[in-house]
Amino acid sequence: HLHFGDLTDGTALYSLLAKIRPTEIYHLGAQSHVRVSFDIPVYTGDATGLGTCRLLESIRDLKLPCRFYQAGSSEMYGGLLNDSLLSERTPFHPRSPYGAAKVYSHWITVNYREAQGIHASNGILFNHESPRRGETFVTRKITRWLAQHVKGLTDQPLYLGNLEAKRDWGYTPEYVCAMWRILQQETPDDYVIATGETHSIREFLDEAFGCLGIDWSKHVKIDPKYYRPAEVDVLLGDASKAAEKIGWVPRVKFKELVQIMVKADIKGEEHGLTEIWDRA
Ligand code: F7E
């Protein structure tokens, strides 16, 4: 069933939860674009931060016997600290209004767990990508442009921002399995979900264009409008707690992920992902 709702509308959320009485809630809703959060910081704080509190407060008030998953983000970190991998023990230092809103969501979830006894957990997910990734995020922007270029559908260059940033990119279907596993635990807790590999945007271009034997440097142009006022330079996660406690280990790594995305965009397959889900 699809119900209408809005994370900024607490009354509507309360009514929906009272009507549906779910046993598990996967709270993934947000204004989730980091660059956009610098343009609309107040709305981002309202939807991405306070939206979480509205849901938790409804669960508390309705005394719903339900489990709650909160979609935390690697954007809560400011980057690598002393070259150590980022784990559940690393202090947060958000570099965007989006990251700051997610830090609030993280701690309000911990607070409802500790103070109200709600079965509430945070998944601290590093970047996760698939052919369904929104077209304004860098991975999909690249693979989509590449498919259009190969089919002769664009004569425009590919405009990008900072090519040096590094991200720990994993495969979304596997990350969704991690969310489910987190909620099946008897005791609620917080988990980093990441691959333990980091690659730059430049490397993503090498791999994606390389699949098709195309030299990206002839097609990519830098547009400063895609730079962020503050950037998270390097993200690299340590998911060993998830491996140990919930038996989650990522299988699809960087090269295969890029190939899946390029292939799917060339075939125009983003809405037919049976093969991909089967493999997760
Ligand atoms: O940027 C650089 C950009 O927008 C990745 C969201 O799902 O993951 C995502 O956040 C990197 C950044 O993802 C362009 O500066 C260069 O360093 O694909 P992105 P993100 O900001 O890491 C986290 C885990 C979330 O929680 C978020 O909701 O790529 N970059 N050139 C660019 N980025 C974009 N979007 N567009 C460019 O042209």
Side-chain angles (χ1 to χ4, degrees), residues 32 73 98 127 133 136 138 141 161-162 165 167 201 228 231:
S32 69
S73 165
Y98 169 79
N127 297 54
R133 182 54 137 159
T136 60
V138 75
K141 187 170 164 183
N162 177 12
R167 290 290 181 272
I201 317 302
R228 294 165 184 190
E231 175 71 282

Side-chain angles (χ1 to χ4, degrees), residues 163-181:
L163 304 187
E164 310 312 327
K166 291 181 149 190
R167 290 290 181 272
D168 179 331
W169 279 298
Y171 185 42
T172 303
E174 295 186 330
Y175 285 47
V176 175
C177 292
M179 296 175 197
W180 180 81
R181 283 182 185 228

